[in-house]
Amino acid sequence: MDASQSNAPKSATLTIGDESWELPILNGTIGPDVIDIAKLYGQTGKFTYDPGFTSTASCESQITYIDGDEGVLLYRGYPIEQLAEPGDFLETCYLLLYGELPTAAQKADFDYRVTRHTMVHEQMSRFFHGFRRDAHPMSVLVASVGALSAFYHDSTDISDPQQRMIASIRMIAKIPTLAAMAYKYSIGQPFVYPKNELDYASNFLRMCFSVPCEEYKVNPILSRAIDRIFILHADHEQNASTSTVRLAGSSGANPFACIAAGIACLWGPAHGGANEAALKMLGEIGSVDRIPEFINRAKDKNDPFRLMGFGHRVYKNYDPRAKIMQRTCHEVLGELGIKDDPLLDIAVELERIALQDEYFVERKLYPNIDFYSGITLRALGFPTSMFTVLFALARTVGWIGQWKEMIEDPSQRIGRPRQLYTGATQRDYIPIARRK
Ligand code: SDX
């Protein structure tokens, strides 16, 4: 029986002084109920205060559900473990966008539509040449995705459902092409056009690693691995970058600009940049016997160092994606004949020690998706600077799906949080001649 049928309270009573207000309690299908405070300021003249939104539901959504205590992640109700194996990334994209798993015919049609939007406008390639070669690929990706709104004016009218879907398909289709172009530009190699006969992941690997001088043969084990990595990163409820996309979209900004905002937010090391930071951290640790030194630094309040790839705002259990990522890591290293990767040895030992340490156990800090992804992506041939680009590539479907859900929500309004003001009270201007 869910809470809506039980005798659970239908409202919460807020009492301030000798006044009381009833605040409605809303029930979801699963997960915590919410206290509806939309009218709180009008009724009480007071705001709620929740920096970092640790206890705040910003929206209603039907896309992704996370149970942080149990380590559960559902895309439209399907456990990530069940989607990451038999299906492929475009099946997950269809599921996130349309809400149901596709039939064979629907999947074939969706694959066809995405495949035929993978090319970008030819002038985009000139856009890249304005960057220095050593520009971080994330800076190139943010800029090039934002620039898409300069090319695709026929899919920026967000009030038109058809344009919203075309923009969604275009974003999913073109993000691998732009990501590969950012990589090729950074290493001074020519751009590679997509090939329609290849699947999404194979197409991406070929656009990244093929060169004009020889045929590129896709390794099916590796393309399956990168496809699965995309599935793991596809969506994750109202994380920082998804909330950024929703807030940007709430003003009516075009979808390409909203996705560019999400990429910018994902770049931070506390979020999507953690995969790049985690691999750098493993390199800095350098050997298994230096792990205790870094564990102590992570626990030292006076040291800003944190174990990158560890901890999560929602997961207070093992991130289910991290387990699948760890298995994929071993699969990729095995396929590539990498018998002992010293960084993997450090990662496995670091995890073992941390999970037994009272500091991490007490704070429920477990490896998250970023802990093993860096080792895997490096083994696949990507430089560290491309790790967050790959995260952004995969998360684009989640961002665009959440953006679409928000735009299509009849109760949608522009997001405009308030504040607790602790600055100067009103005072009069003093002409500069009289200032001391
Ligand atoms: C992603 O939100 C999402 O869903 C994100 C994501 C997605 O798919 O979109 O899952 C992807 O961003 C995963 C997280 C990647 N980031 C990292 O791995 C960076 C390292 N992790 C931390 O910075 C931290 O754990 C966060 C940012 C992930 C979460 O921070 P919170 O929820 O604000 O937790 P907190 O900073 O309040 O930490 C609680 C306590 C603190 O100690 P006390 O003040 O209670 O003594 O835990 C400590 C923190 O100091 N702590 C860590 C730690 N993470 C938290 N101590 C050492 N190393 C860490 N990694």
Side-chain angles (χ1 to χ4, degrees), residues 41-63:
Y41 178 59
Q43 292 170 339
T44 69
K46 288 182 172 47
F47 299 138
T48 57
Y49 183 62
D50 184 15
F53 309 120
T54 48
S55 303
T56 295
S58 61
C59 63
E60 176 180 341
S61 179
Q62 300 178 351
I63 298 176

Side-chain angles (χ1 to χ4, degrees), residues 236 239 269-272 274 298 301 306-313 321 359-360 363 365 368 370 391 395:
H236 213 236
N239 58 82
H271 191 13
K301 286 295 159 227
R306 284 194 163 183
L307 284 189
M308 301 317 281
F310 251 79
H312 200 277
R313 170 62 56 77
R321 304 168 297 174
Y359 173 92
F360 295 89
R363 290 166 179 78
L365 303 175
N368 59 51
D370 295 308
F391 193 151
R395 184 54 58 86

Side-chain angles (χ1 to χ4, degrees), residues 84-141:
E85 292 318 327
D88 67 6
F89 179 65
L90 284 188
E91 177 183 70
T92 289
C93 290
Y94 185 99
L95 174 65
L96 291 171
L97 277 181
Y98 290 96
E100 297 297 335
L101 288 169
T103 62
Q106 288 166 333
K107 177 71 167 51
D109 169 64
F110 187 72
D111 287 2
Y112 180 89
R113 284 189 285 146
V114 171
T115 302
R116 275 145 190 85
H117 278 286
T118 47
M119 283 177 70
V120 293
H121 192 290
E122 193 59 16
Q123 279 180 267
M124 280 296 284
S125 55
R126 288 207 283 280
F127 182 84
F128 280 72
H129 291 294
F131 286 97
R132 285 175 37 151
R133 284 289 178 189
D134 60 354
H136 193 291
M138 277 298 277
S139 60
V140 177
L141 193 70

Side-chain angles (χ1 to χ4, degrees), residues 266-280:
L266 185 75
W267 195 356
H271 191 13
N275 52 18
E276 181 175 346
L279 195 79
K280 281 182 181 152

Side-chain angles (χ1 to χ4, degrees), residues 64 66 73 75 234-239 312 315 321 395:
T64 294
I66 303 172
L73 170 58
Y75 288 165
D235 193 48
H236 213 236
E237 199 211 74
Q238 306 310 319
N239 58 82
H312 200 277
Y315 288 122
R321 304 168 297 174
R395 184 54 58 86

